[in-house]
Amino acid sequence: MAQLGKGKLNYRCPSCFMRDLDIDMFYNKDTGIYSCIRCQFRGTEAEVLAGNEDVRKKYGAMYRRFDKFDFD
Ligand SMILES: [Zn+2]
């Protein structure tokens, strides 16, 4: 796949990141499609960014301390 290279930015694969894997993606200049080097994820820059927003939901409360639980 000689036409694939790194994009201007190195995006992390949102699909792999959901599984706590930090994987770079290849960029196809001709189609503008990013593709993961490990899984089957492929998508446009907008789709990659939207995927990264989803991952942020998982880690959104990372710095928040939970000290009140409603179920007790
Ligand atoms: Zn991936």
Side-chain angles (χ1 to χ4, degrees):
M1 292 202 273
Q3 78 277 25
L4 297 179
K6 294 286 185 182
K8 355 178 236 306
L9 289 168
N10 259 357
Y11 282 120
R12 174 184 280 144
C13 172
S15 180
C16 288
F17 196 39
M18 276 290 192
R19 277 168 271 150
D20 298 323
L21 296 166
D22 189 0
I23 308 289
D24 281 345
M25 303 185 78
F26 278 130
Y27 179 62
N28 187 327
K29 280 197 234 53
D30 297 333
T31 59
I33 297 286
Y34 287 85
S35 49
C36 180
I37 57 179
R38 186 182 170 280
C39 76
Q40 295 302 308
F41 180 90
R42 52 182 54 228
T44 61
E45 181 172 8
E47 286 170 326
V48 173
L49 292 175
N52 280 332
E53 281 303 314
D54 280 342
V55 179
R56 225 160 264 151
K57 285 175 202 153
K58 179 176 168 183
Y59 290 104
M62 189 162 64
Y63 296 114
R64 197 170 147 209
R65 189 180 182 98
F66 292 97
D67 46 26
K68 170 78 183 84
F69 296 93
D70 289 324
F71 49 76
D72 59 23

mmCIF file of all heavy atoms in Angstrom, residues 29-67:
data_model
loop_
_atom_site.group_PDB
_atom_site.id
_atom_site.type_symbol
_atom_site.label_atom_id
_atom_site.label_comp_id
_atom_site.label_asym_id
_atom_site.label_seq_id
_atom_site.Cartn_x
_atom_site.Cartn_y
_atom_site.Cartn_z
ATOM 1 N N LYS A 29 -3.766 10.339 1.122
ATOM 2 C CA LYS A 29 -3.892 11.720 0.617
ATOM 3 C C LYS A 29 -4.949 11.824 -0.472
ATOM 4 O O LYS A 29 -5.636 12.828 -0.589
ATOM 5 C CB LYS A 29 -2.550 12.183 0.034
ATOM 6 C CG LYS A 29 -1.536 12.627 1.056
ATOM 7 C CD LYS A 29 -0.447 13.434 0.349
ATOM 8 C CE LYS A 29 0.967 12.924 0.610
ATOM 9 N NZ LYS A 29 1.276 11.525 0.359
ATOM 10 N N ASP A 30 -5.067 10.796 -1.290
ATOM 11 C CA ASP A 30 -5.983 10.854 -2.433
ATOM 12 C C ASP A 30 -7.441 10.849 -1.999
ATOM 13 O O ASP A 30 -8.266 11.559 -2.577
ATOM 14 C CB ASP A 30 -5.722 9.681 -3.379
ATOM 15 C CG ASP A 30 -4.325 9.756 -3.974
ATOM 16 O OD1 ASP A 30 -3.795 10.878 -4.084
ATOM 17 O OD2 ASP A 30 -3.769 8.694 -4.312
ATOM 18 N N THR A 31 -7.767 10.035 -1.007
ATOM 19 C CA THR A 31 -9.164 9.901 -0.608
ATOM 20 C C THR A 31 -9.482 10.695 0.652
ATOM 21 O O THR A 31 -10.645 10.894 0.979
ATOM 22 C CB THR A 31 -9.511 8.421 -0.348
ATOM 23 O OG1 THR A 31 -8.642 7.928 0.681
ATOM 24 C CG2 THR A 31 -9.331 7.585 -1.597
ATOM 25 N N GLY A 32 -8.450 11.135 1.398
ATOM 26 C CA GLY A 32 -8.680 11.834 2.649
ATOM 27 C C GLY A 32 -9.175 10.912 3.749
ATOM 28 O O GLY A 32 -9.772 11.359 4.721
ATOM 29 N N ILE A 33 -8.927 9.624 3.579
ATOM 30 C CA ILE A 33 -9.406 8.627 4.542
ATOM 31 C C ILE A 33 -8.252 8.183 5.444
ATOM 32 O O ILE A 33 -7.158 7.891 4.968
ATOM 33 C CB ILE A 33 -9.982 7.395 3.803
ATOM 34 C CG1 ILE A 33 -11.204 7.793 2.973
ATOM 35 C CG2 ILE A 33 -10.323 6.273 4.778
ATOM 36 C CD1 ILE A 33 -12.451 8.074 3.751
ATOM 37 N N TYR A 34 -8.539 8.176 6.733
ATOM 38 C CA TYR A 34 -7.589 7.628 7.689
ATOM 39 C C TYR A 34 -7.918 6.164 7.916
ATOM 40 O O TYR A 34 -9.089 5.792 8.015
ATOM 41 C CB TYR A 34 -7.692 8.366 9.029
ATOM 42 C CG TYR A 34 -7.099 9.758 8.984
ATOM 43 C CD1 TYR A 34 -7.854 10.827 8.543
ATOM 44 C CD2 TYR A 34 -5.782 9.975 9.380
ATOM 45 C CE1 TYR A 34 -7.312 12.109 8.485
ATOM 46 C CE2 TYR A 34 -5.243 11.247 9.346
ATOM 47 C CZ TYR A 34 -6.010 12.316 8.884
ATOM 48 O OH TYR A 34 -5.475 13.564 8.834
ATOM 49 N N SER A 35 -6.908 5.338 8.013
ATOM 50 C CA SER A 35 -7.162 3.934 8.304
ATOM 51 C C SER A 35 -6.203 3.464 9.389
ATOM 52 O O SER A 35 -5.049 3.874 9.446
ATOM 53 C CB SER A 35 -7.021 3.071 7.046
ATOM 54 O OG SER A 35 -5.826 3.359 6.372
ATOM 55 N N CYS A 36 -6.725 2.618 10.233
ATOM 56 C CA CYS A 36 -5.958 2.112 11.364
ATOM 57 C C CYS A 36 -4.983 1.046 10.879
ATOM 58 O O CYS A 36 -5.297 0.273 9.978
ATOM 59 C CB CYS A 36 -6.915 1.525 12.392
ATOM 60 S SG CYS A 36 -6.071 0.863 13.826
ATOM 61 N N ILE A 37 -3.800 1.026 11.482
ATOM 62 C CA ILE A 37 -2.821 0.015 11.080
ATOM 63 C C ILE A 37 -3.074 -1.305 11.797
ATOM 64 O O ILE A 37 -2.432 -2.298 11.517
ATOM 65 C CB ILE A 37 -1.364 0.494 11.339
ATOM 66 C CG1 ILE A 37 -1.153 0.873 12.808
ATOM 67 C CG2 ILE A 37 -1.041 1.676 10.452
ATOM 68 C CD1 ILE A 37 0.272 1.323 13.102
ATOM 69 N N ARG A 38 -4.010 -1.327 12.729
ATOM 70 C CA ARG A 38 -4.227 -2.546 13.500
ATOM 71 C C ARG A 38 -5.615 -3.161 13.299
ATOM 72 O O ARG A 38 -5.731 -4.357 13.175
ATOM 73 C CB ARG A 38 -4.018 -2.253 14.985
ATOM 74 C CG ARG A 38 -4.085 -3.487 15.840
ATOM 75 C CD ARG A 38 -3.916 -3.143 17.306
ATOM 76 N NE ARG A 38 -4.219 -4.305 18.104
ATOM 77 C CZ ARG A 38 -5.440 -4.706 18.417
ATOM 78 N NH1 ARG A 38 -6.488 -4.022 18.002
ATOM 79 N NH2 ARG A 38 -5.633 -5.776 19.130
ATOM 80 N N CYS A 39 -6.659 -2.308 13.312
ATOM 81 C CA CYS A 39 -8.017 -2.857 13.180
ATOM 82 C C CYS A 39 -8.619 -2.411 11.861
ATOM 83 O O CYS A 39 -7.953 -1.835 11.024
ATOM 84 C CB CYS A 39 -8.880 -2.415 14.370
ATOM 85 S SG CYS A 39 -9.418 -0.698 14.270
ATOM 86 N N GLN A 40 -9.905 -2.641 11.701
ATOM 87 C CA GLN A 40 -10.554 -2.363 10.414
ATOM 88 C C GLN A 40 -11.115 -0.953 10.341
ATOM 89 O O GLN A 40 -11.763 -0.607 9.358
ATOM 90 C CB GLN A 40 -11.694 -3.368 10.186
ATOM 91 C CG GLN A 40 -11.199 -4.791 10.041
ATOM 92 C CD GLN A 40 -10.220 -4.932 8.902
ATOM 93 O OE1 GLN A 40 -10.501 -4.528 7.783
ATOM 94 N NE2 GLN A 40 -9.061 -5.491 9.180
ATOM 95 N N PHE A 41 -10.884 -0.134 11.370
ATOM 96 C CA PHE A 41 -11.452 1.212 11.351
ATOM 97 C C PHE A 41 -10.880 2.032 10.206
ATOM 98 O O PHE A 41 -9.673 2.050 9.987
ATOM 99 C CB PHE A 41 -11.199 1.922 12.678
ATOM 100 C CG PHE A 41 -11.763 3.321 12.700
ATOM 101 C CD1 PHE A 41 -13.057 3.541 13.125
ATOM 102 C CD2 PHE A 41 -10.998 4.396 12.281
ATOM 103 C CE1 PHE A 41 -13.587 4.829 13.123
ATOM 104 C CE2 PHE A 41 -11.519 5.684 12.274
ATOM 105 C CZ PHE A 41 -12.814 5.890 12.709
ATOM 106 N N ARG A 42 -11.762 2.702 9.485
ATOM 107 C CA ARG A 42 -11.310 3.701 8.523
ATOM 108 C C ARG A 42 -12.360 4.787 8.433
ATOM 109 O O ARG A 42 -13.557 4.519 8.577
ATOM 110 C CB ARG A 42 -11.004 3.103 7.147
ATOM 111 C CG ARG A 42 -12.111 2.263 6.540
ATOM 112 C CD ARG A 42 -11.695 1.681 5.208
ATOM 113 N NE ARG A 42 -10.449 0.936 5.340
ATOM 114 C CZ ARG A 42 -9.400 1.073 4.513
ATOM 115 N NH1 ARG A 42 -9.472 1.875 3.486
ATOM 116 N NH2 ARG A 42 -8.316 0.394 4.706
ATOM 117 N N GLY A 43 -11.923 6.004 8.247
ATOM 118 C CA GLY A 43 -12.893 7.092 8.176
ATOM 119 C C GLY A 43 -12.217 8.407 7.868
ATOM 120 O O GLY A 43 -10.989 8.512 7.820
ATOM 121 N N THR A 44 -13.044 9.420 7.635
ATOM 122 C CA THR A 44 -12.543 10.755 7.357
ATOM 123 C C THR A 44 -12.024 11.385 8.649
ATOM 124 O O THR A 44 -12.249 10.863 9.745
ATOM 125 C CB THR A 44 -13.654 11.642 6.794
ATOM 126 O OG1 THR A 44 -14.688 11.733 7.777
ATOM 127 C CG2 THR A 44 -14.229 11.067 5.512
ATOM 128 N N GLU A 45 -11.363 12.534 8.493
ATOM 129 C CA GLU A 45 -10.859 13.245 9.663
ATOM 130 C C GLU A 45 -12.003 13.553 10.634
ATOM 131 O O GLU A 45 -11.860 13.404 11.843
ATOM 132 C CB GLU A 45 -10.182 14.539 9.205
ATOM 133 C CG GLU A 45 -9.609 15.344 10.350
ATOM 134 C CD GLU A 45 -8.780 16.528 9.872
ATOM 135 O OE1 GLU A 45 -8.774 16.817 8.664
ATOM 136 O OE2 GLU A 45 -8.132 17.151 10.734
ATOM 137 N N ALA A 46 -13.173 13.953 10.091
ATOM 138 C CA ALA A 46 -14.321 14.284 10.942
ATOM 139 C C ALA A 46 -14.782 13.061 11.723
ATOM 140 O O ALA A 46 -15.135 13.157 12.900
ATOM 141 C CB ALA A 46 -15.461 14.826 10.083
ATOM 142 N N GLU A 47 -14.755 11.906 11.079
ATOM 143 C CA GLU A 47 -15.188 10.683 11.755
ATOM 144 C C GLU A 47 -14.201 10.273 12.839
ATOM 145 O O GLU A 47 -14.585 9.792 13.902
ATOM 146 C CB GLU A 47 -15.363 9.547 10.735
ATOM 147 C CG GLU A 47 -16.606 9.723 9.883
ATOM 148 C CD GLU A 47 -16.673 8.750 8.711
ATOM 149 O OE1 GLU A 47 -15.616 8.397 8.148
ATOM 150 O OE2 GLU A 47 -17.772 8.356 8.357
ATOM 151 N N VAL A 48 -12.928 10.476 12.560
ATOM 152 C CA VAL A 48 -11.908 10.171 13.570
ATOM 153 C C VAL A 48 -12.085 11.079 14.777
ATOM 154 O O VAL A 48 -12.064 10.633 15.929
ATOM 155 C CB VAL A 48 -10.491 10.335 12.970
ATOM 156 C CG1 VAL A 48 -9.431 10.199 14.055
ATOM 157 C CG2 VAL A 48 -10.248 9.302 11.881
ATOM 158 N N LEU A 49 -12.311 12.379 14.517
ATOM 159 C CA LEU A 49 -12.477 13.330 15.619
ATOM 160 C C LEU A 49 -13.744 13.032 16.410
ATOM 161 O O LEU A 49 -13.753 13.128 17.638
ATOM 162 C CB LEU A 49 -12.503 14.763 15.074
ATOM 163 C CG LEU A 49 -11.162 15.252 14.495
ATOM 164 C CD1 LEU A 49 -11.329 16.632 13.876
ATOM 165 C CD2 LEU A 49 -10.080 15.259 15.550
ATOM 166 N N ALA A 50 -14.826 12.643 15.705
ATOM 167 C CA ALA A 50 -16.072 12.289 16.387
ATOM 168 C C ALA A 50 -15.849 11.047 17.250
ATOM 169 O O ALA A 50 -16.354 10.959 18.370
ATOM 170 C CB ALA A 50 -17.179 12.035 15.366
ATOM 171 N N GLY A 51 -15.085 10.100 16.730
ATOM 172 C CA GLY A 51 -14.775 8.900 17.499
ATOM 173 C C GLY A 51 -13.983 9.226 18.740
ATOM 174 O O GLY A 51 -14.208 8.657 19.810
ATOM 175 N N ASN A 52 -13.061 10.179 18.609
ATOM 176 C CA ASN A 52 -12.264 10.564 19.776
ATOM 177 C C ASN A 52 -13.122 11.268 20.822
ATOM 178 O O ASN A 52 -12.834 11.177 22.009
ATOM 179 C CB ASN A 52 -11.097 11.451 19.346
ATOM 180 C CG ASN A 52 -9.943 10.638 18.784
ATOM 181 O OD1 ASN A 52 -9.756 9.485 19.154
ATOM 182 N ND2 ASN A 52 -9.182 11.224 17.885
ATOM 183 N N GLU A 53 -14.176 11.972 20.381
ATOM 184 C CA GLU A 53 -15.109 12.569 21.336
ATOM 185 C C GLU A 53 -15.822 11.480 22.135
ATOM 186 O O GLU A 53 -16.055 11.633 23.327
ATOM 187 C CB GLU A 53 -16.145 13.434 20.616
ATOM 188 C CG GLU A 53 -15.647 14.804 20.200
ATOM 189 C CD GLU A 53 -15.115 15.616 21.372
ATOM 190 O OE1 GLU A 53 -15.778 15.648 22.420
ATOM 191 O OE2 GLU A 53 -14.025 16.191 21.252
ATOM 192 N N ASP A 54 -16.176 10.387 21.469
ATOM 193 C CA ASP A 54 -16.833 9.274 22.152
ATOM 194 C C ASP A 54 -15.924 8.687 23.220
ATOM 195 O O ASP A 54 -16.368 8.346 24.304
ATOM 196 C CB ASP A 54 -17.202 8.176 21.147
ATOM 197 C CG ASP A 54 -18.476 8.499 20.402
ATOM 198 O OD1 ASP A 54 -19.226 9.358 20.879
ATOM 199 O OD2 ASP A 54 -18.718 7.872 19.360
ATOM 200 N N VAL A 55 -14.640 8.567 22.891
ATOM 201 C CA VAL A 55 -13.697 8.020 23.864
ATOM 202 C C VAL A 55 -13.610 8.937 25.071
ATOM 203 O O VAL A 55 -13.492 8.490 26.207
ATOM 204 C CB VAL A 55 -12.300 7.843 23.231
ATOM 205 C CG1 VAL A 55 -11.314 7.309 24.254
ATOM 206 C CG2 VAL A 55 -12.374 6.919 22.038
ATOM 207 N N ARG A 56 -13.717 10.245 24.807
ATOM 208 C CA ARG A 56 -13.633 11.216 25.885
ATOM 209 C C ARG A 56 -14.746 11.016 26.913
ATOM 210 O O ARG A 56 -14.570 11.340 28.081
ATOM 211 C CB ARG A 56 -13.693 12.631 25.289
ATOM 212 C CG ARG A 56 -12.667 13.555 25.893
ATOM 213 C CD ARG A 56 -12.391 14.747 24.996
ATOM 214 N NE ARG A 56 -11.217 14.540 24.164
ATOM 215 C CZ ARG A 56 -11.040 15.086 22.980
ATOM 216 N NH1 ARG A 56 -11.942 15.860 22.461
ATOM 217 N NH2 ARG A 56 -9.942 14.853 22.303
ATOM 218 N N LYS A 57 -15.893 10.497 26.468
ATOM 219 C CA LYS A 57 -16.973 10.205 27.411
ATOM 220 C C LYS A 57 -16.517 9.189 28.438
ATOM 221 O O LYS A 57 -16.840 9.277 29.616
ATOM 222 C CB LYS A 57 -18.189 9.642 26.668
ATOM 223 C CG LYS A 57 -18.971 10.661 25.898
ATOM 224 C CD LYS A 57 -20.086 9.975 25.112
ATOM 225 C CE LYS A 57 -20.529 10.848 23.964
ATOM 226 N NZ LYS A 57 -21.079 10.035 22.872
ATOM 227 N N LYS A 58 -15.751 8.222 27.963
ATOM 228 C CA LYS A 58 -15.280 7.161 28.846
ATOM 229 C C LYS A 58 -14.319 7.715 29.887
ATOM 230 O O LYS A 58 -14.316 7.276 31.033
ATOM 231 C CB LYS A 58 -14.600 6.090 27.982
ATOM 232 C CG LYS A 58 -14.034 4.917 28.745
ATOM 233 C CD LYS A 58 -13.483 3.889 27.757
ATOM 234 C CE LYS A 58 -12.653 2.853 28.491
ATOM 235 N NZ LYS A 58 -12.058 1.894 27.567
ATOM 236 N N TYR A 59 -13.492 8.698 29.457
ATOM 237 C CA TYR A 59 -12.480 9.236 30.365
ATOM 238 C C TYR A 59 -12.843 10.618 30.886
ATOM 239 O O TYR A 59 -12.036 11.253 31.560
ATOM 240 C CB TYR A 59 -11.125 9.303 29.649
ATOM 241 C CG TYR A 59 -10.535 7.937 29.389
ATOM 242 C CD1 TYR A 59 -10.562 7.387 28.119
ATOM 243 C CD2 TYR A 59 -9.978 7.213 30.434
ATOM 244 C CE1 TYR A 59 -10.039 6.121 27.887
ATOM 245 C CE2 TYR A 59 -9.454 5.957 30.213
ATOM 246 C CZ TYR A 59 -9.488 5.417 28.934
ATOM 247 O OH TYR A 59 -8.977 4.171 28.709
ATOM 248 N N GLY A 60 -14.067 11.083 30.583
ATOM 249 C CA GLY A 60 -14.454 12.440 30.922
ATOM 250 C C GLY A 60 -14.366 12.736 32.406
ATOM 251 O O GLY A 60 -14.050 13.855 32.805
ATOM 252 N N ALA A 61 -14.634 11.743 33.247
ATOM 253 C CA ALA A 61 -14.658 11.960 34.693
ATOM 254 C C ALA A 61 -13.364 11.502 35.350
ATOM 255 O O ALA A 61 -13.306 11.322 36.564
ATOM 256 C CB ALA A 61 -15.845 11.219 35.306
ATOM 257 N N MET A 62 -12.326 11.371 34.556
ATOM 258 C CA MET A 62 -11.069 10.811 35.040
ATOM 259 C C MET A 62 -10.507 11.584 36.243
ATOM 260 O O MET A 62 -9.958 10.995 37.169
ATOM 261 C CB MET A 62 -10.052 10.824 33.899
ATOM 262 C CG MET A 62 -8.776 10.077 34.194
ATOM 263 S SD MET A 62 -7.898 9.712 32.667
ATOM 264 C CE MET A 62 -7.508 11.336 32.088
ATOM 265 N N TYR A 63 -10.652 12.920 36.212
ATOM 266 C CA TYR A 63 -10.050 13.739 37.267
ATOM 267 C C TYR A 63 -11.047 14.112 38.349
ATOM 268 O O TYR A 63 -10.778 14.932 39.201
ATOM 269 C CB TYR A 63 -9.431 15.007 36.666
ATOM 270 C CG TYR A 63 -8.303 14.698 35.744
ATOM 271 C CD1 TYR A 63 -8.391 14.963 34.380
ATOM 272 C CD2 TYR A 63 -7.128 14.105 36.232
ATOM 273 C CE1 TYR A 63 -7.352 14.646 33.525
ATOM 274 C CE2 TYR A 63 -6.092 13.793 35.392
ATOM 275 C CZ TYR A 63 -6.201 14.065 34.031
ATOM 276 O OH TYR A 63 -5.174 13.753 33.204
ATOM 277 N N ARG A 64 -12.242 13.536 38.283
ATOM 278 C CA ARG A 64 -13.268 13.861 39.253
ATOM 279 C C ARG A 64 -13.278 12.789 40.337
ATOM 280 O O ARG A 64 -13.184 11.603 40.048
ATOM 281 C CB ARG A 64 -14.621 13.905 38.542
ATOM 282 C CG ARG A 64 -15.643 14.619 39.380
ATOM 283 C CD ARG A 64 -16.918 14.888 38.597
ATOM 284 N NE ARG A 64 -18.032 14.813 39.516
ATOM 285 C CZ ARG A 64 -19.251 14.448 39.186
ATOM 286 N NH1 ARG A 64 -19.524 14.106 37.947
ATOM 287 N NH2 ARG A 64 -20.182 14.396 40.090
ATOM 288 N N ARG A 65 -13.348 13.238 41.563
ATOM 289 C CA ARG A 65 -13.391 12.298 42.667
ATOM 290 C C ARG A 65 -14.852 12.092 43.072
ATOM 291 O O ARG A 65 -15.559 13.053 43.341
ATOM 292 C CB ARG A 65 -12.590 12.842 43.848
ATOM 293 C CG ARG A 65 -12.422 11.831 44.942
ATOM 294 C CD ARG A 65 -11.618 12.420 46.079
ATOM 295 N NE ARG A 65 -11.432 11.403 47.102
ATOM 296 C CZ ARG A 65 -10.333 10.662 47.221
ATOM 297 N NH1 ARG A 65 -9.343 10.869 46.403
ATOM 298 N NH2 ARG A 65 -10.252 9.740 48.143
ATOM 299 N N PHE A 66 -15.278 10.869 43.117
ATOM 300 C CA PHE A 66 -16.652 10.561 43.507
ATOM 301 C C PHE A 66 -16.669 10.237 44.988
ATOM 302 O O PHE A 66 -16.030 9.292 45.445
ATOM 303 C CB PHE A 66 -17.194 9.374 42.704
ATOM 304 C CG PHE A 66 -17.379 9.710 41.248
ATOM 305 C CD1 PHE A 66 -16.416 9.385 40.321
ATOM 306 C CD2 PHE A 66 -18.515 10.385 40.816
ATOM 307 C CE1 PHE A 66 -16.576 9.699 38.982
ATOM 308 C CE2 PHE A 66 -18.689 10.705 39.481
ATOM 309 C CZ PHE A 66 -17.713 10.361 38.562
ATOM 310 N N ASP A 67 -17.349 11.069 45.756
ATOM 311 C CA ASP A 67 -17.399 10.797 47.195
ATOM 312 C C ASP A 67 -18.824 10.651 47.700
ATOM 313 O O ASP A 67 -19.055 10.414 48.874
ATOM 314 C CB ASP A 67 -16.642 11.866 47.991
ATOM 315 C CG ASP A 67 -16.981 13.272 47.536
ATOM 316 O OD1 ASP A 67 -18.092 13.463 46.997
ATOM 317 O OD2 ASP A 67 -16.134 14.169 47.719
#
